[in-house]
Amino acid sequence: MLKKMHKPAALMMLSLALFAAGCSAGNGASGSTANDTPAKNTPAADTAPAASTAAAVDILKIAGSNNGYPSPFAFSASGPFGYLRNSFIFDTLTWKDDKGVIPWLAKSWDVTDNGLTYTFKLEENVKWHDGQAFTADDVVFSFNYYKTYPFNWNGDISQIKSVDKVNDLTVVFHLNNKYAPFLSDLVGIVPIIPKHVWEKVTKPAEYRDDAALVGTGPYKLKKYDSATGQYLFAANEQFFKGQVMVKEVAFVAASNKLLALQNGEIDETYTSSYADVQTAEKAGFKTIKSEPTGSVVRISFNLDHPKLGDKRLRQALAYALNREEISSKITGGKPMVGSAGVVPTDSPWYNKNVKQYPYDPAQAEKILDELGYKKNANGVREDLKLSVMTSSTMPDATMMKEMLKKVGIELNLVQLDAAAFATALGENKYDIALTGHIGASGDPDYLRLWFSGKAANMWSSRGKSLQLEEFHKLAEQQMQELDEGKRHEIVNKMQDVLAEELPTLVLYHRPFYDIHKAEVFDKFKNTFGGIADGMPLWENKVYFINVKK
């Protein structure tokens, strides 16, 4: 029996410049509100969103950087911006706006009662950029092709058993098991590619023919300068969802973003510094705070380390770090101390009862003494010398060094370039690694991906050595639990395990702020559950379109 999920209706680090350690959209980003209701995996209500009333904008200039060639196989996976550039060109079956999951290339869908079969009705009269018709054949081809040539971002297609064509405008997905975030974090992430272009391509990562950028999306790539990392996208005037209101979108390299805004070189940017927000608002710019935060700055422990493999030492380090002070000094805004359960405290999935580690140097000293790490005459625990590895100059690490010194621990700072940092992570050649990334404000399945090493981004996926059978059992259970209340209970238990075992310690959750010229374009919003799998950013293509009723 089919259970109706949505009636037909025409609804419509980030690779951080400030954080060279990189950021990731693991799985999860920012909603328009933060409350106790989780971001829905089902479509928004059966009412069409209000169409944009904004007048057409000739060009919108956004601060950017080089994120690679924007085909589905060649963009940079070191942060979310490569994916976002790709999403301007290529579409997915579902997408997100400020209310949650919405129809996109699929105009409606049904799901069977057992949650194993989804039937999608596709939009009619959709054309690829080269004029050929989009059909169910392209959908079937795309997911089969990705099994051989993986898409360059997240989207766990291993959950899919098969994709079958019913007719030119209907496809059926059969899943291996129930998968709660299917609509948001699988068919809402993985782009559909044209069969007639890719069926003969055997080296997709190297493919640079003009056809490599043929999509159905609202934009076509007009210019890309790999040397400067600048992009220019031009509107697809035949876009099936409605009129593209912003005619051109330029991503412009800007070393000083606020100065570039003031000089008219760009119209929109982002920052993680509250001081920048205050400066921008005084200068007359409009700002938006990401809600929920969706970002984590954390230390990962090498669990194969002969000393750090003991969770009591990891817990002692947590008590020794004044994370509120670190957060306050680094972000400049209201401190948001990291949760020991990883999920940000403003997320609807946050476990309010999870174990935490308040700043308590006396407790840290007590545990260290019990572990046998005695101080010498100079107050140094000579048998406990540790290193923290970073991929950029991070003041967080310097502050950690001084705080740990107070409890007798010498912390050596090791700074590597991004490539060496990634290699060391992959080979477990570190004690403690400091990194930051996003993707923690949407669907909580990112916890499963992060700690099983399946996330696309190398910084978020460090967790391959996490050997916790209880955690992975819970991770599989939450993934397959379609009852939202029961799923909350399982995710709470996952956070309890992480908080007790501390394979990673989140120092703080860092909000991002959009800064833009409202007189140029004022339709930026937070995307509920984050763009795709949790990007608390504002470059959501849906806001650039006057979506048809």
Side-chain angles (χ1 to χ4, degrees):
M1 169 180 275
L2 288 177
K3 180 180 178 182
K4 196 68 173 178
M5 293 296 287
H6 190 84
K7 299 176 183 178
L11 304 183
M12 59 140 237
M13 127 222 357
L14 308 170
S15 289
L16 302 175
L18 304 177
F19 218 66
C23 69
S24 153
N27 274 68
S30 62
S32 54
T33 58
N35 50 43
D36 292 332
T37 304
K40 301 290 186 182
N41 289 327
T42 53
D46 294 336
T47 56
S52 169
T53 57
V57 175
D58 290 334
I59 187 168
L60 180 63
K61 295 170 290 185
I62 302 174
S65 58
N66 186 22
N67 304 112
Y69 185 72
S71 88
F73 306 94
F75 64 80
S76 171
S78 64
F81 296 110
Y83 176 87
L84 287 177
R85 306 292 183 270
N86 174 263
S87 74
F88 276 41
I89 300 171
F90 295 88
D91 288 316
T92 49
L93 293 179
T94 67
W95 195 243
K96 289 180 184 175
D97 65 3
D98 58 321
K99 301 297 190 297
V101 175
I102 57 174
W104 206 248
L105 279 173
K107 64 180 181 180
S108 66
W109 51 87
D110 299 311
V111 59
T112 52
D113 289 334
N114 63 10
L116 295 177
T117 304
Y118 287 77
T119 301
F120 290 89
K121 296 290 185 182
L122 306 177
E123 285 280 4
E124 302 174 5
N125 302 317
V126 178
K127 300 289 186 182
W128 293 101
H129 293 157
D130 61 6
Q132 294 206 35
F134 157 78
T135 72
D137 290 323
D138 297 304
V139 178
V140 174
F141 169 80
S142 295
F143 285 93
N144 287 332
Y145 192 80
Y146 289 130
K147 289 180 180 179
T148 302
Y149 307 105
F151 174 52
N152 209 27
W153 196 243
N154 294 315
D156 190 359
I157 66 170
S158 68
Q159 304 298 327
I160 299 173
K161 182 177 182 180
S162 66
V163 185
D164 300 313
K165 172 184 176 181
V166 176
N167 56 49
D168 280 350
L169 294 174
T170 309
V171 291
V172 178
F173 283 73
H174 300 282
L175 305 186
N176 292 312
N177 45 253
K178 291 182 288 186
Y179 184 51
F182 176 73
L183 290 171
S184 62
D185 285 20
L186 211 173
V187 296
I189 291 177
V190 179
I192 307 303
I193 57 177
K195 178 181 178 181
H196 66 275
V197 170
W198 294 95
E199 60 184 342
K200 294 183 180 180
V201 178
T202 57
K203 295 182 178 180
E206 301 173 12
Y207 188 49
R208 294 292 187 277
D209 189 274
D210 289 346
L213 299 182
V214 168
T216 58
Y219 289 94
K220 302 176 183 180
L221 185 65
K222 187 174 181 179
K223 185 181 298 185
Y224 166 51
D225 186 338
S226 59
T228 61
Q230 303 195 95
Y231 302 76
L232 180 62
F233 292 90
N236 172 14
E237 299 298 347
Q238 283 73 49
F239 186 54
F240 70 97
K241 272 292 184 181
Q243 183 183 5
V244 182
M245 300 301 293
V246 180
K247 298 308 177 184
E248 289 188 331
V249 180
F251 292 95
V252 181
S255 57
N256 186 320
K257 298 174 184 177
L258 288 182
L259 183 60
L261 270 171
Q262 294 171 343
N263 292 340
E265 298 167 19
I266 58 174
D267 305 309
E268 189 258 357
T269 187
Y270 78 93
T271 184
S272 59
S273 167
Y274 188 64
D276 286 348
V277 172
Q278 294 175 308
T279 300
E281 289 180 344
K282 288 179 181 178
F285 298 109
K286 187 171 181 179
T287 64
I288 306 173
K289 180 182 178 182
S290 61
E291 294 178 353
T293 304
S295 170
V296 296
V297 177
R298 63 178 177 134
I299 52 176
S300 291
F301 299 106
N302 182 352
L303 302 186
D304 295 333
H305 188 280
K307 295 176 180 178
L308 289 168
D310 189 329
K311 71 178 181 182
R312 294 174 296 171
L313 176 55
R314 302 194 295 270
Q315 291 173 346
L317 295 175
Y319 283 121
L321 295 173
N322 189 338
R323 292 177 288 143
E324 182 174 359
E325 180 181 334
I326 295 174
S327 174
S328 179
K329 289 185 176 180
I330 298 299
T331 67
K334 182 179 179 181
M336 191 173 177
V337 176
S339 170
V342 178
V343 176
T345 54
D346 65 349
S347 166
W349 292 97
Y350 171 62
N351 177 0
K352 295 180 174 64
N353 298 314
V354 73
K355 179 179 181 178
Q356 299 293 2
Y357 297 84
Y359 179 52
D360 189 344
Q363 179 65 11
E365 299 253 25
K366 179 175 181 293
I367 296 173
L368 292 170
D369 288 342
E370 291 173 351
L371 288 172
Y373 298 116
K374 302 301 182 181
K375 291 182 178 179
N376 62 19
N378 296 319
V380 177
R381 301 178 192 272
E382 293 182 338
D383 294 332
L384 186 59
K385 297 183 186 298
L386 299 171
S387 295
V388 60
M389 179 179 73
T390 74
S391 65
S392 65
T393 303
M394 298 177 68
D396 318 58
T398 302
M399 295 175 69
M400 287 172 55
K401 179 181 177 72
E402 293 305 312
M403 291 172 183
L404 293 183
K405 184 177 180 180
K406 293 179 181 178
V407 296
I409 299 174
E410 286 189 352
L411 186 67
N412 182 41
L413 306 187
V414 179
Q415 183 179 333
L416 303 176
D417 61 40
F421 183 89
T423 299
L425 277 178
E427 297 178 352
N428 269 10
K429 294 180 178 179
Y430 67 99
D431 297 347
I432 302 169
L434 175 59
T435 185
H437 48 88
I438 62 175
S441 57
D443 191 277
D445 194 48
Y446 67 83
L447 293 175
R448 176 182 68 91
L449 296 174
W450 286 9
F451 294 104
S452 61
K454 294 181 179 179
N457 185 273
M458 56 191 161
W459 285 287
S460 66
S461 65
R462 188 63 216 136
K464 296 175 184 177
S465 59
L466 180 58
Q467 302 297 321
L468 293 174
E469 183 177 350
E470 179 186 5
F471 177 84
H472 294 300
K473 183 178 180 180
L474 291 168
E476 291 296 313
Q477 289 176 357
Q478 65 79 27
M479 178 187 76
Q480 298 185 40
E481 182 54 69
L482 302 183
D483 182 284
E484 201 166 81
K486 292 180 180 178
R487 192 172 181 224
H488 260 279
E489 293 175 3
I490 300 170
V491 173
N492 282 348
K493 292 178 182 178
M494 292 172 67
Q495 293 174 69
D496 287 335
V497 173
L498 291 172
E500 175 62 28
E501 298 294 333
L502 280 188
T504 188
L505 175 67
V506 181
L507 299 179
Y508 55 93
H509 301 289
R510 170 189 49 191
F512 291 102
Y513 304 90
D514 164 85
I515 305 175
H516 66 271
K517 294 180 179 179
E519 65 272 20
V520 175
F521 185 79
D522 196 24
K523 295 297 178 181
F524 291 110
K525 300 179 183 179
N526 284 320
T527 299
F528 189 81
I531 300 174
D533 55 345
M535 305 174 190
L537 301 171
W538 298 271
E539 298 164 25
N540 189 336
K541 61 188 176 185
V542 73
Y543 304 136
F544 299 165
I545 301 160
N546 190 10
V547 177
K548 292 182 292 189
K549 293 281 189 179

